[in-house]
Amino acid sequence: MKFLKRFLMFLIICFAFCGCGTNTVLSDTSSSAVLSESTAASVGSSASSHSSSSMLVQSSAEVVSTPVSGSTVFSSSVSSSEPQEMFGASVLSAEISANNRTINAARAFTVDNINGKITINIGYDNYVDIKTLQNCFVDVNISGGQYRFDGAVNANGSIDLTKENSLVVTDTNGATRNYSIEVKRTVYDLPIVNIYLANGLGVDGIDRDVYSEMTMYIDSSGAEGFDSTEFLDGGIHGRGHSTWKWPKKPYRIKLNEKAGILGLPSNKDWILLANYSDKSLIRNIVAYDMGRELDSFVWTPTQYSVDLFVNGEYRGVYALGEQREIANKKINLYESPVEVDRGYLLEVGGADGEDLVRGIDYFSTKTNSADNCTFVDPKPEDMTDEQRKFIMDYVNAADSAIVTGGNYEDYIDVDSFIDWIIMQELTCNLDSCFRRSCYFTKDKGGKIKMGPIWDFDLAFGNFSLDNPSYNTWNTVGTDVEDAYIDVNWCNYLMNDPDFRSRLKSRWFEVRDRLLSAAYSSIERNSALARRSQTENYKIWKTMGYKSGYEAWATANLNTFDMQIDYLKSFLEKRAAWIDANI
């Protein structure tokens, strides 16, 4: 009788375990939607089997998933054919292998032998880029028997972990059990720039001036409105006047072949700005959105916030954008290797602190009202002596006319000067007021035009050398010894009644349009960066502390929201001051 009862109990247990499907349920998290790719082609019995040792895999799948912000889940529905306590094998460990080309350390799955499930959460601290997930080597150790992957297994045995997969384990008695594979991947709202340095170079080995070989690609799977790229080969080096010395470094990218990035025109040259002193992370982006409201500049750059990873390591929120240069769809000026009357791009103050030769690399006007004018494009080594003399003579003639109050309109495009002053004054961009990053152009047969506008990370009330009351004209310099802004062309133009009248008229014409563009840009770009800024300040612990040359007024603001509110409030107050004083 006891034997019969035990036999009936055994049958009930077998019925409970055998043939019961275990489906993985995808649920929404508090911050994101969750998706599952369920259309992956199953390779079934074509997948190779492996004995109880680690397995190595690789692949070449295309991008197929479109994750949204937050934790995206890739998983599968599987069934278990044997109850756990009767199955003669178990999964000891599983991990994304360190032998994948783009990661430098294994990423371990969590193994649940009771429920037949292996999971991994991919975040910014254990990052794996989406191309690696689609072409992934996975190492597995089991206690006995063999295993194989079933699902999106690539021809070379690697796995596309963004699709539906399962791990099929067979014990020494021939019984099988399926383990579901679930990958949760944190995806925020910004495009992700992935840079992989060649020859084992680490991020600290990137040189200030010499390009290092690299491969780059952009994953926009979580960024609405942007396209991802394929792998792009090229070089990377540092950039910036003073910003290169700060811990979070800015970079310049040069691709081997032209490519369009984030919807911008195809080009080889790109920049990655660190915005180390800008706790809002968006000052440059906002300024350029404002500048595009003014039609007198020859060109205004575009930048977008991105998350940057170098060699799989998170480096923070950066601004990816266009490099200034004479080029089609950029600063479109007439180019000639020999003609003297051609297009020129110069920077006032560009020689400051650089080891350059006066008269060859840069010059100053005879009155020093435009000091240390550096030849940017063409570069000094690409200029003839005749070209150098031509542009120096022209700038000096313009300088004389401005200083003496003569016929300066014969030499300068007044509208561009007015718009440039409006932009610099509304944003209080003291660092670019005839000090450095102050650019002007002259085209063939044309006049000097101010712009492109550039470098606003210390603008909008964010510079330690600002007048903290913000009740003066920033573009007007002084002749005080060691003054940050010396007497320059703006001093003379702002004292000219005709120029001042035109400036006032233009201000009230564009004032509301500029503020509207600024507020819209602040709202849009701060929202996009909101999730990522948290990760940024985990590694760059600068929030609430003074960073670089920033003002104490912003250094004391210890949250991202406070930084954004300050930015909006500053514009409102500054516009009101200009209204009353222009």
Side-chain angles (χ1 to χ4, degrees), residues 94-122:
E95 61 187 19
I96 295 177
S97 174
N99 289 324
N100 286 286
R101 183 172 69 92
T102 58
I103 63 174
N104 53 18
R107 310 287 195 258
F109 286 83
T110 298
V111 178
D112 182 353
N113 280 297
I114 295 176
N115 295 303
K117 186 177 183 180
I118 63 173
T119 62
I120 189 169
N121 296 319
I122 302 296

Side-chain angles (χ1 to χ4, degrees), residues 350-376:
D352 187 22
E354 299 287 347
D355 184 21
L356 302 176
V357 179
R358 179 182 285 271
I360 300 296
D361 301 298
Y362 73 99
F363 69 99
S364 295
T365 58
K366 294 176 181 179
T367 67
N368 289 322
S369 296
D371 202 19
N372 294 339
C373 298
T374 306
F375 303 115
V376 177

Side-chain angles (χ1 to χ4, degrees), residues 193-197 206 214-217 236 251 253 272 308-312:
V193 175
N194 299 276
I195 291 177
Y196 299 102
L197 303 173
I206 298 175
M214 60 107 212
T215 295
M216 177 181 82
Y217 87 88
I236 182 173
Y251 302 107
I253 302 292
L272 281 163
L308 176 65
F309 287 83
V310 179
N311 292 344

Side-chain angles (χ1 to χ4, degrees), residues 75-148:
S75 68
S76 54
S77 298
V78 299
S79 61
S80 175
S81 57
E82 290 292 336
Q84 174 65 20
E85 56 266 46
M86 297 181 63
F87 191 61
S90 63
V91 178
L92 301 177
S93 66
E95 61 187 19
I96 295 177
S97 174
N99 289 324
N100 286 286
R101 183 172 69 92
T102 58
I103 63 174
N104 53 18
R107 310 287 195 258
F109 286 83
T110 298
V111 178
D112 182 353
N113 280 297
I114 295 176
N115 295 303
K117 186 177 183 180
I118 63 173
T119 62
I120 189 169
N121 296 319
I122 302 296
Y124 277 32
D125 56 346
N126 66 336
Y127 180 73
V128 181
D129 65 82
I130 195 166
K131 284 188 180 291
T132 299
L133 289 176
Q134 293 166 335
N135 303 269
C136 201
F137 289 131
V138 176
D139 293 339
V140 178
N141 282 294
I142 60 176
S143 62
Q146 296 180 326
Y147 71 91
R148 63 182 173 84

Side-chain angles (χ1 to χ4, degrees), residues 35-248:
L35 66 91
S36 173
E37 290 287 343
S38 59
T39 59
S42 173
V43 296
S45 60
S46 65
S48 56
S49 297
H50 302 265
S51 59
S52 55
S53 60
S54 64
M55 173 192 174
L56 200 59
V57 224
Q58 274 205 7
S59 109
S60 57
E62 297 178 353
V63 177
V64 295
S65 62
T66 307
V68 292
S69 300
S71 298
T72 299
V73 178
F74 307 103
S75 68
S76 54
S77 298
V78 299
S79 61
S80 175
S81 57
E82 290 292 336
Q84 174 65 20
E85 56 266 46
M86 297 181 63
F87 191 61
S90 63
V91 178
L92 301 177
S93 66
E95 61 187 19
I96 295 177
S97 174
N99 289 324
N100 286 286
R101 183 172 69 92
T102 58
I103 63 174
N104 53 18
R107 310 287 195 258
F109 286 83
T110 298
V111 178
D112 182 353
N113 280 297
I114 295 176
N115 295 303
K117 186 177 183 180
I118 63 173
T119 62
I120 189 169
N121 296 319
I122 302 296
Y124 277 32
D125 56 346
N126 66 336
Y127 180 73
V128 181
D129 65 82
I130 195 166
K131 284 188 180 291
T132 299
L133 289 176
Q134 293 166 335
N135 303 269
C136 201
F137 289 131
V138 176
D139 293 339
V140 178
N141 282 294
I142 60 176
S143 62
Q146 296 180 326
Y147 71 91
R148 63 182 173 84
F149 290 102
D150 192 10
V153 181
N154 300 298
N156 62 353
S158 61
I159 308 166
D160 184 348
L161 289 177
T162 69
K163 294 182 179 180
E164 183 177 332
N165 294 281
S166 62
L167 175 67
V168 182
V169 178
T170 304
D171 68 11
T172 54
N173 296 319
T176 63
R177 190 177 191 214
N178 287 5
Y179 285 72
S180 67
I181 300 175
E182 183 176 271
V183 178
K184 296 180 180 179
R185 176 174 175 259
T186 298
V187 179
Y188 293 137
D189 302 300
L190 300 180
I192 297 173
V193 175
N194 299 276
I195 291 177
Y196 299 102
L197 303 173
N199 305 314
L201 186 69
V203 65
D204 292 335
I206 298 175
D207 188 78
R208 165 62 176 79
D209 301 302
V210 179
Y211 280 109
S212 298
E213 186 181 350
M214 60 107 212
T215 295
M216 177 181 82
Y217 87 88
I218 297 176
D219 168 19
S220 296
S221 56
E224 184 178 353
F226 295 106
D227 292 329
S228 300
T229 70
E230 295 302 318
F231 283 105
L232 305 170
D233 294 327
I236 182 173
H237 70 61
R239 68 172 307 281
H241 286 292
S242 59
T243 51
W244 178 249
K245 68 182 180 181
W246 304 120
K248 188 182 179 187

